[in-house]
Amino acid sequence: MDRSAIDYLLFLEKNDSFFYKNFKDFIVFASEVNKNLQDEEYIDLKNAKDNDYKVLLKDKRTSINIVKNFFYKVSPSIIKQIDYDVANENILFLPKNQFKDIKSRINVLDKSYKIEISESNKIEESFLLVREYTHLFVGNILEFTDIEEGLKKIYLESITSLCEFALAKHLSFNMTLAADSRMYIFKKIYDSIYKMNDSYLTLSYLGYLLEGKTHEDIVKYLGDEKIVNYLNKIIIEKKPCNDYINTLSVVMALKLTNNTDNIYNLLNKFYIKAAEKDVEYLKANLIVNLDQKEAVNEITHYIRNNK
């Protein structure tokens, strides 16, 4: 039995017990959602993934004003924080080459912070900005002590995704930006479904190692030497399988979006409950459900009602 495979399993068990206990169910869930999404919806998502945004925003103030106008519907008090951050240059739009696998981040410096956004001059800037503000507003979820790390991250990203869906609803009434806003969300849904393939391949490779398969056999099973080398690097370097967080959080946020009459009030409620550290509210309203049929129905409902 391959020692690196055993070490990787121990790494997962120690660093992400929630994923470790449930990874078989997660992989089946992701695979079934992938298989059962209808061609029509897949084409809509793939078209969004393969195309770029059309509208160039006038300037950075435009990107920020879009966010301010949106947050006015959620909680007007948030606008004061945004104005403060603008005045103190806490929001930075930086060249794309200063980012690697992410498009936005928060750099905490002592008691202050900088929100850094990958510059594009497109609507994506506003979506990234609301993402980072949501991380600021509900980030204390990661400090909760009675919830597993993986589950805390799912809660955080579910609320963050809900905020993005709320911004998309806000922009759906804007004749200029509605199409690009919808494209952003469709790209997000596409990635949430198909990036899970990385975890699927990693765990498949891990299984082959644990079964004692030879390198040649594994290449035959996976079909490509480059893929095997890529997966081997993940195992050796002990990189976490985090894409399940995005997959589950998007589906959970979609369900909330599809089943609320006022997404802005719902989002504000989550902000308040997170600030109050109301763990029971989060547990009751952010439920991890691995029913692939329900997930496909929620995805389909959203796409068909937002074309």
Side-chain angles (χ1 to χ4, degrees), residues 4 11 25 51-52 58 65 71 91 96 150 168 196 291 297:
S4 64
F11 162 77
D25 292 333
N51 286 284
D52 198 7
K58 182 179 179 181
N65 283 340
F71 274 127
I91 301 173
K96 291 182 179 181
M196 191 69 179
D291 182 334
N297 287 339

Side-chain angles (χ1 to χ4, degrees), residues 55-63 66 121-122 125 177:
V55 180
L56 279 175
L57 301 181
K58 182 179 179 181
D59 51 30
K60 301 311 172 194
R61 182 168 294 278
T62 301
S63 297
I66 288 170
N121 301 314
K122 306 287 181 67
E125 291 182 345
L177 297 173

Side-chain angles (χ1 to χ4, degrees), residues 120-151:
S120 67
N121 301 314
K122 306 287 181 67
I123 193 59
E124 186 178 35
E125 291 182 345
S126 295
F127 277 97
L128 294 173
L129 193 52
V130 299
R131 279 190 60 80
E132 296 309 329
Y133 270 113
T134 301
H135 286 161
L136 281 175
F137 299 144
V138 302
N140 64 344
I141 288 175
L142 297 178
E143 299 171 6
F144 293 177
T145 57
D146 56 347
I147 302 177
E148 291 174 288
E149 287 299 315
L151 189 54

Side-chain angles (χ1 to χ4, degrees), residues 7 18 98 107 114 132 134 144 147 151 153 178 199 207 235-236 258 273 280 286 296 299-300 304-305:
D7 289 344
F18 183 74
Q98 294 192 29
N107 275 335
K114 300 291 184 185
E132 296 309 329
T134 301
F144 293 177
I147 302 177
L151 189 54
K153 291 175 182 177
S199 285
I235 299 294
I236 296 297
N258 290 338
K273 292 300 183 179
E280 295 308 313
L286 294 173
V296 169
I299 294 167
T300 301
R304 292 184 180 179
N305 285 274

Side-chain angles (χ1 to χ4, degrees), residues 198-212:
D198 277 358
S199 285
Y200 178 79
L201 288 172
T202 300
L203 294 169
S204 296
Y205 177 64
L206 181 65
Y208 293 142
L209 291 177
L210 292 171
E211 291 171 8

